[in-house]
Amino acid sequence: MSQNGKGVNLDKSLGYLLKEASSALRASMEEVLRPLGMSVTRYACLELLAQRPGLSNSELARGAFVTRQSMNVLLQALEREGYVTRPAEAPVGKVLPTRLTTRGRRSLEKATVAVRSVEVRMMVGMTETEQSDAFRILQRMIHSLHDGNAGA
């Protein structure tokens, strides 16, 4: 609590608890991805490209929660290392659609197994109903914050 007594009670703050859970999840993911030569951001980028081939730099940055500049640096490295491919010139407009290579797909498969193990560990002790409830509640919170809804 803050010195003036009007701060947030961290023991009862859902936002603080969510941030702590997010931090613990990221640390656990980094731990299992590191031996594969991968980071959470790299994994997120490859996963997004596997599910939505041809995404632009901006779309990838939004999906991986990083800046466009950071994503551009990452994409250049991934392209240099043979994990993704981008055309030399944009087929339409300025967007250079990025696609996974075979090497990128193989790397992603290993990383997905590692990340899934973290998600399974995170839900140990929860019933299927509790897992479904948690998923639904978190989705509702995200939706409410994005839409600016206070109650519904």
Side-chain angles (χ1 to χ4, degrees), residues 80-97:
R80 224 178 12 258
E81 296 165 14
Y83 292 96
V84 301
T85 183
R86 296 188 290 177
E89 293 182 21
V92 178
K94 295 186 219 175
V95 176
L96 295 175

Side-chain angles (χ1 to χ4, degrees), residues 98-112:
T98 307
R99 299 195 184 281
L100 285 179
T101 63
T102 302
R103 181 177 187 185
R105 286 186 199 292
R106 280 195 309 261
S107 183
L108 176 60
E109 286 172 10
K110 293 174 187 170
T112 299

